[in-house]
């Protein structure tokens, strides 16, 4: 934990805000089924003053461009700003920006997030499981699509101290509703990832990731194997 800034209170006295967060770099040299998938990912998170927090990531995708097998790099980025509605409350108001390669395909979402593991009557249950779990209802989506699409995002993390303090499981499930999609795709598709990691030396992790992307017409499932470096502050 690092003290990064000094804020001023309404009374004029200086008060310190301690920023905590992390940056991690993930490289996936081996993909089992889909080569045109994310091969490098950067994640970052930080706590901010006034009950604000930030989380975001950038996926770098090795995308095939033609029948010759030549490829080019594309990106998909997600940026989240969250505001805890009251001290100790398990609810956050959220804003999310999706940015990606191409023209006129970005989208913006507004919603509310419920951190179940920080809810008083559920806290002991999740502590027993060594688990964190949150639901984010993205009720308003602004993009170039027709209709009123919306999304429920699940995010989770789990530790296994009864096996090893160096082992973890983390991931997400994005469940999308009411998008105008081709008939060949599911009506309410999901995108999901579950990453199993093991810290083999301080800050360095061996990782394996199971991915589901129902926006692909074939090869919905993929497994990525790689390495992660994480810096926490």
């Amino acid at each position: 934990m690092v003290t990064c800034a000094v804020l001023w209170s309404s009374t004029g006295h200086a008060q310190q805000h301690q920023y905590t967060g992390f940056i991690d770099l993930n490289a996936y040299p081996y993909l089992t089924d889909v080569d045109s998938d994310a091969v490098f990912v950067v994640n970052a998170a930080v706590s901010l003053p006034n009950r604000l927090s930030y989380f975001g990531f950038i996926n770098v995708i090795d995308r095939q461009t033609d029948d010759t097998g030549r490829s080019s790099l594309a990106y998909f980025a997600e940026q989240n700003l969250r505001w805890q509605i009251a001290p100790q409350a398990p609810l956050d108001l959220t804003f999310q920006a999706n940015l990606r390669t191409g023209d006129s395909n970005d989208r913006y979402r507004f919603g509310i997030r419920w951190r179940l593991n920080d809810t008083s009557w559920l806290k002991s249950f999740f502590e027993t499981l060594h688990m964190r779990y949150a639901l984010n209802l993205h009720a308003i989506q602004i993009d170039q699509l027709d209709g009123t699409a919306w999304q429920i995002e699940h995010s989770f993390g789990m530790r296994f101290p009864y096996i090893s303090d160096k082992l973890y499981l983390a991931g997400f499930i994005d469940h999308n509703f009411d998008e105008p999609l081709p008939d060949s795709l599911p009506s309410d598709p999901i995108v999901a990832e579950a990453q199993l990691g093991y810290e083999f030396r301080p800050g360095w992790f061996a990782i394996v990731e199971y991915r589901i992307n129902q926006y692909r017409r074939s090869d919905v499932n993929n497994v990525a194997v790689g390495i992660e470096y994480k810096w926490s502050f």
Side-chain angles (χ1 to χ4, degrees):
M1 185 164 61
V2 181
T3 300
C4 298
V6 175
L7 307 177
W8 290 92
S9 68
S10 59
T11 60
H13 297 295
Q15 60 181 1
Q16 291 182 330
H17 175 81
Q18 292 186 318
Y19 290 79
T20 58
F22 69 85
I23 298 173
D24 67 52
L25 311 176
N26 303 260
Y28 303 93
Y30 180 69
L31 304 172
T32 59
D33 296 311
V34 185
D35 291 333
S36 57
D37 207 348
V39 294
F40 187 75
V41 178
V42 180
N43 299 295
V46 65
S47 64
L48 299 168
N50 301 314
R51 303 193 304 276
L52 287 167
S53 63
Y54 162 82
F55 170 74
F57 66 80
I58 300 175
N59 288 352
V60 178
I61 301 164
D62 187 7
R63 184 173 61 184
Q64 290 190 352
T65 57
D66 55 35
D67 294 336
T68 66
R70 289 182 298 180
S71 62
S72 63
L73 294 180
Y75 73 89
F76 173 79
E78 183 179 289
Q79 309 296 313
N80 296 276
L81 187 63
R82 299 160 178 162
W83 180 67
Q84 185 182 18
I85 63 173
Q88 310 305 317
L91 299 174
D92 308 314
L93 298 182
T94 63
F95 167 74
Q96 181 184 100
N98 290 162
L99 312 171
R100 69 196 76 198
T101 301
D103 298 325
S104 302
N105 57 6
D106 299 332
R107 60 182 46 165
Y108 306 93
R109 295 182 173 120
F110 298 86
I112 187 167
R113 179 173 178 250
W114 177 22
R115 291 172 278 109
L116 279 75
N117 55 288
D118 287 333
T119 304
S120 58
W121 53 280
L122 293 171
K123 194 168 187 176
S124 60
F125 170 74
F126 283 98
E127 286 177 347
T128 301
L129 296 177
H130 306 283
M131 185 179 184
R132 56 177 175 78
Y133 183 74
L135 286 172
N136 199 340
L137 170 62
H138 296 294
I140 300 173
Q141 179 169 304
I142 300 172
D143 55 26
Q144 297 76 31
L145 301 174
D146 294 331
T148 55
W150 56 285
Q151 182 193 78
I152 297 177
E153 176 189 66
H154 310 253
S155 60
F156 60 90
M158 195 169 184
R159 294 282 181 175
F160 305 92
Y162 42 87
I163 300 175
S164 172
D165 290 334
K166 299 179 182 296
L167 188 67
Y168 73 86
L169 178 68
F172 69 87
I173 303 170
D174 289 344
H175 198 174
N176 304 282
F177 299 91
D178 295 340
E179 286 189 49
L181 296 170
D183 293 338
S184 58
L185 295 179
S187 58
D188 298 319
I190 67 168
V191 177
E193 293 182 3
Q195 184 186 89
L196 184 67
Y198 181 81
E199 188 175 20
F200 60 89
R201 60 180 297 180
W204 291 91
F205 300 81
I207 54 176
V208 59
E209 198 167 278
Y210 179 63
R211 303 172 178 176
I212 299 173
N213 186 347
Q214 291 187 340
Y215 286 96
R216 288 195 289 254
R217 288 175 170 80
S218 61
D219 294 324
V220 169
N221 305 301
N222 203 12
V223 176
V225 180
I227 191 168
E228 174 186 278
Y229 176 72
K230 183 175 183 179
W231 177 57
S232 299
F233 57 90

